Amino acid sequence: MSIVKLTEEQELIQKTARDFSVNEIKPVAAMYDREGRFPREIIDKLGELGFLGIMVPEEYGGSGFDCLTYVIALEEIAVSCASTAIIMSVNNSLVCDPILAFGSEKQKRSHLPDLSSGRRLGCFALSEPEAGSDPASMRTSAVKRGKSYIINGSKSWITNGAEADTGILFAATNHSKKHHGISAFIIDMDTPGVKIGKLEHKLGIKASSTAQIYFEDCKVPDTALLGEEGDGFKIALATLDGGRIGVAAQAVGIARAALEEAARYSKERKAFGKPISNFQGLQFMIADMATRIEASRLLTWQSAVMKDRKENYVKKSAMAKLFSSETAMWVTTKAIQIHGGYGYTVDYPVERFFRDAKITEIYEGTSEIQRNVIARETLKEIQ
């Protein structure tokens, strides 16, 4: 029983997401992972369901729900496919959200309807080869020339990079000001000068693309500027605070999937004449898995509710992301152990869950960065 009482609408969204996940995504998830193929058909259907702009107000073409509803739906999607979940998360948290929070009225009406419906897909271009956790050292530049900006540089580790139609791009408009000289832009990915580079071959989330993107004398109008010049670092931090809630929900979904598979297997597999679920050592694993998942979900929901209430959720979102991602790694490891040798084969889905779980400790802020944030916020609170 949850401490949060869901509304009838939220319960309906949860059921819709769960039914879609079980019936449409789960049967093909292993195939998309094996082939490393972007699940275009699934993403199109998510757009039709309104899940790609779930927090965008209806006046801008979205579903008009809150962050709690979003993470409830995202967890259900992640249970079947972590790749699909992160595609959904990026479009919602890292693309629609900053446009909604910092965009002009014209930008909102121009971009959000297509992003929310799935007619266009978004990406978040912040990281660089030598500027991941330290965005202030980015080298990508945007030079103002008349009513345009000329962008040069490269971005790395960009989720949805190969398929995105719209990008939130961060570039230095004044290198001398360091992080105060970073600006954000909304760009069309088919703009001349934008080139998709290497696609990473990854351990997990293989059905989502992770791309390098190059910008060579890419000319964008000054109307592409998101917020004001120099607002980029602030926009990036605010966006990532919300994005971490999405990754936390993804991690909860991965962990839940691993627990469910492990529990089912333990009831079927027999040793010494009885199901292995009868053995206390295994029961302790199941108990710890279930407890950590529940704690992760509650942290995630709490941070989502705080975001909805417009409270300061920086610390809670970092806690949710840290604890949920490390829970996902721990739970998937135990799930493989419960499966024994079978868990190490591709015949059982727990090996995919294990591979998918690892990235949640890395992207949108590593576990080390989350600990920095939590410590900083905690030290500020205690006098």
Side-chain angles (χ1 to χ4, degrees), residues 111 134 136 277 315 358:
H111 297 286
D134 179 22
S277 60
K315 177 180 172 181
K358 183 58 195 175

Side-chain angles (χ1 to χ4, degrees), residues 83-103:
S83 294
T84 302
I86 198 58
I87 295 166
M88 173 180 164
S89 179
V90 166
N91 202 73
N92 277 283
S93 298
L94 302 189
V95 182
C96 290
D97 219 28
I99 294 175
L100 187 62
F102 299 98

Side-chain angles (χ1 to χ4, degrees), residues 173-191:
T173 45
N174 189 332
H175 283 289
S176 66
K177 292 184 177 181
K178 296 187 178 180
H179 61 279
H180 292 298
I182 297 172
S183 300
F185 300 86
I186 308 172
I187 65 168
D188 290 330
M189 297 298 288
D190 59 359
T191 302

